[in-house]
Amino acid sequence: MNTSERFKNKHVLITGGARGIGFAVAKHFAREGAIISILDFSRELLDRSMKELARITQEVYPYHVDVSQRLAVNDAVSAAENIQPVDILINNVGVAFETPFLHIEESEWKKVLDINLSGMFYVAQSVCRFMAGRKKGVVVNMAS
């Protein structure tokens, strides 16, 4: 069912890959022959996305992770690396405010920063430690 083999045997790790843009990216890479690892906070969405991706490839691995937790990120990245070294990181995770701007509380502000900034940093740093040792790899950070 692959449209090509352009990314055959390349391992792509996608944060926030169980929904939206991240899921679309996961499907694209899967169709191109890549091994897919997805980090996402929602176990329900991970399960649903795995079922759909399994129609494209058997090389898909879910990780239920809160990217704002550095140790959990390190564990998930190490597990993904044990499957096969990660060649490409698509750092797509992000959340938006649910509250109108003038009513945002400090706790909500900190949550958004923890996920959108710290989470992206934790994942990139963890993956890049492995990539640096190999002297190769690609990191794509997405933001809005």
Side-chain angles (χ1 to χ4, degrees):
M1 181 174 243
N2 291 346
T3 57
S4 82
E5 298 292 310
R6 200 164 38 153
F7 290 95
K8 185 171 179 58
N9 297 322
K10 296 291 184 185
H11 190 175
V12 181
L13 189 146
I14 305 164
T15 64
R19 66 188 117 201
I21 293 170
F23 185 58
V25 169
K27 287 192 296 188
H28 176 76
F29 275 108
R31 287 186 187 109
E32 295 283 342
I35 299 161
I36 307 295
S37 287
I38 293 178
L39 277 63
D40 203 282
F41 182 72
S42 171
R43 188 178 304 279
E44 179 183 332
L45 289 173
L46 265 174
D47 291 344
R48 189 178 321 147
S49 65
M50 289 304 107
K51 288 176 186 169
E52 188 170 337
L53 288 167
R55 294 185 203 132
I56 302 169
T57 180
Q58 296 304 305
E59 294 275 5
V60 59
Y61 304 92
Y63 299 93
H64 179 240
V65 178
D66 176 349
V67 296
S68 71
Q69 303 301 310
R70 182 191 295 265
L71 294 178
V73 165
N74 289 342
D75 289 346
V77 169
S78 291
E81 280 280 332
N82 284 333
I83 292 166
Q84 180 174 313
V86 174
D87 299 291
I88 302 167
L89 166 62
I90 305 295
N91 221 345
N92 170 71
V93 71
V95 296
F97 293 109
E98 298 175 12
T99 307
F101 177 73
L102 294 177
H103 302 285
I104 295 170
E105 298 289 330
E106 184 177 4
S107 61
E108 188 175 3
W109 173 250
K110 286 183 177 183
K111 175 185 173 188
V112 169
L113 291 177
D114 284 349
I115 293 169
N116 294 5
L117 295 178
S118 297
M120 188 172 282
F121 170 79
Y122 296 152
V123 175
Q125 188 179 56
S126 187
V127 170
C128 287
R129 282 195 171 105
F130 289 100
M131 288 178 171
R134 294 187 291 272
K135 295 186 177 15
K136 67 178 184 174
V138 174
V139 176
V140 177
N141 290 319
M142 300 170 70
S144 64

